[in-house]
Amino acid sequence: MEEHSTSNRLAVDQPTRGADRNRPLADQADPGTDEMLLPSLNDGITLLDVEGGRGVPILQSLVLDHLLLHDGPAFWVDANGHATTTTLAQITPSQRLLDRIHVARGFTAYQHYGAVDNLPTTVNQSIQKSTAVTSTSGRQSSAHSEDSSPHTPSLIVAPAVDIQYRSDDTLSEQHAEILQARTLARLATYADSYDVPVLVTRSTINEFTAPVATAANHHLECEQTRMGPRLVGDEFETLVYPVDDGAYYQTTFAYWRQLLATRATQVGLEPATPSPSTLSPPGVGTGVTADGETTSLTASPLLDAWTAPGGR
């Protein structure tokens, strides 16, 4: 029987918006590939809860996957070091995607709230700059979605949305709760006014972070299984992750990189091929196959220039 690589097994169709876009990507002759891709991020607030850790590569993979399918920048209000270039550079299929991520960092409760509150100003500045460049260069957008624009936001990200308010000793408990509630209210307003997804995580699940779940329109849970992360949502569930030799396994960086490279090819964006001289040293991580064998992973070069000039 003829052997098929992962790329041959995938029947790549033009994606449609919504969770159902994952199904056409699976080769129906090979049920093992069904629903192998990441879940859709729909308009409104999506809460991602990751079991047993911060889930930085999982969060970043959701962001990059969304940018592959939609035009427009992502605006990321960071806390607790989730916008790290180390993992972004390792898993992104193209460095051009990183240019579309604008980052502001809040190191205190007031800084975080201020960054969220000032987001419309940052968005307006980005739109003015983007439209000016387009009008002078005549560049045309290769829109991946009918309802996306290269100028307006396609995604807002606020990981660990609670952490600065719970850890700031200068705030009383009541004041911290009020400030967090105002942040969530603004994020909900932005989701409605820009008609975009807002992706948030929380540092822990307890009474203080219960309002985050209340404000969310959608909920994704990531379970850490023996062979790697498994995502479960209302309309999505990670089943298996195919690899070229026909085995099926779950892992971390190897899976995220393969998945995003497949998505990039699907939307007509060639994955970046790093120069051999800029490759990171081997042995940066390992993956586990279904047979229990450990395989070494390598990383793409670390690039620190992705943060937008207007980011904080």
Side-chain angles (χ1 to χ4, degrees), residues 111-128:
Q111 286 181 359
H112 188 271
Y113 174 75
V116 173
D117 189 44
N118 291 330
L119 182 60
T121 300
T122 303
V123 169
N124 290 338
Q125 292 174 348
S126 174
I127 292 174
Q128 292 173 4

Side-chain angles (χ1 to χ4, degrees), residues 88-145:
L88 273 170
Q90 287 179 15
I91 65 178
T92 184
S94 172
Q95 302 302 327
R96 285 183 291 171
L97 285 178
L98 305 187
D99 294 333
R100 293 167 55 194
I101 303 176
H102 301 257
V103 178
R105 291 179 171 87
F107 298 99
T108 68
Y110 285 107
Q111 286 181 359
H112 188 271
Y113 174 75
V116 173
D117 189 44
N118 291 330
L119 182 60
T121 300
T122 303
V123 169
N124 290 338
Q125 292 174 348
S126 174
I127 292 174
Q128 292 173 4
K129 181 178 179 180
S130 177
T131 53
V133 170
T134 302
S135 62
T136 56
S137 64
R139 178 175 56 86
Q140 297 295 323
S141 166
S142 56
H144 302 134
S145 175

Side-chain angles (χ1 to χ4, degrees), residues 88-271:
L88 273 170
Q90 287 179 15
I91 65 178
T92 184
S94 172
Q95 302 302 327
R96 285 183 291 171
L97 285 178
L98 305 187
D99 294 333
R100 293 167 55 194
I101 303 176
H102 301 257
V103 178
R105 291 179 171 87
F107 298 99
T108 68
Y110 285 107
Q111 286 181 359
H112 188 271
Y113 174 75
V116 173
D117 189 44
N118 291 330
L119 182 60
T121 300
T122 303
V123 169
N124 290 338
Q125 292 174 348
S126 174
I127 292 174
Q128 292 173 4
K129 181 178 179 180
S130 177
T131 53
V133 170
T134 302
S135 62
T136 56
S137 64
R139 178 175 56 86
Q140 297 295 323
S141 166
S142 56
H144 302 134
S145 175
E146 293 181 357
D147 54 0
S148 65
S149 164
H151 309 300
T152 57
S154 63
L155 179 65
I156 296 171
V157 189
V161 71
D162 63 296
I163 196 165
Q164 299 299 356
Y165 308 104
R166 68 163 56 251
S167 61
D168 196 324
D169 295 334
T170 65
L171 297 177
S172 66
E173 181 178 352
Q174 182 180 14
H175 194 182
E177 292 176 351
I178 292 174
L179 208 56
Q180 178 185 244
R182 289 178 177 175
T183 294
L184 294 172
R186 275 162 173 71
L187 291 175
T189 298
Y190 301 152
D192 291 339
S193 58
Y194 295 122
D195 288 327
V196 297
V198 174
L199 180 60
V200 303
T201 68
R202 49 184 171 176
S203 61
T204 189
I205 301 176
N206 58 18
E207 184 178 354
F208 185 81
T209 58
V212 181
T214 301
N217 307 102
H218 317 284
H219 194 189
L220 288 173
E221 294 181 281
C222 184
E223 174 190 5
Q224 300 292 349
T225 70
R226 182 180 65 85
M227 290 188 294
R230 176 173 173 268
L231 284 164
V232 177
D234 294 336
E235 301 178 6
F236 183 89
E237 179 180 358
T238 301
L239 298 178
V240 294
Y241 304 143
V243 291
D244 285 339
D245 60 4
Y248 294 89
Y249 76 133
Q250 290 175 294
T251 185
T252 52
F253 286 121
Y255 168 61
W256 306 122
R257 293 176 64 192
Q258 175 188 334
L259 184 152
L260 290 167
T262 300
R263 177 73 81 199
T265 302
Q266 170 199 354
V267 299
L269 179 66
E270 284 297 323

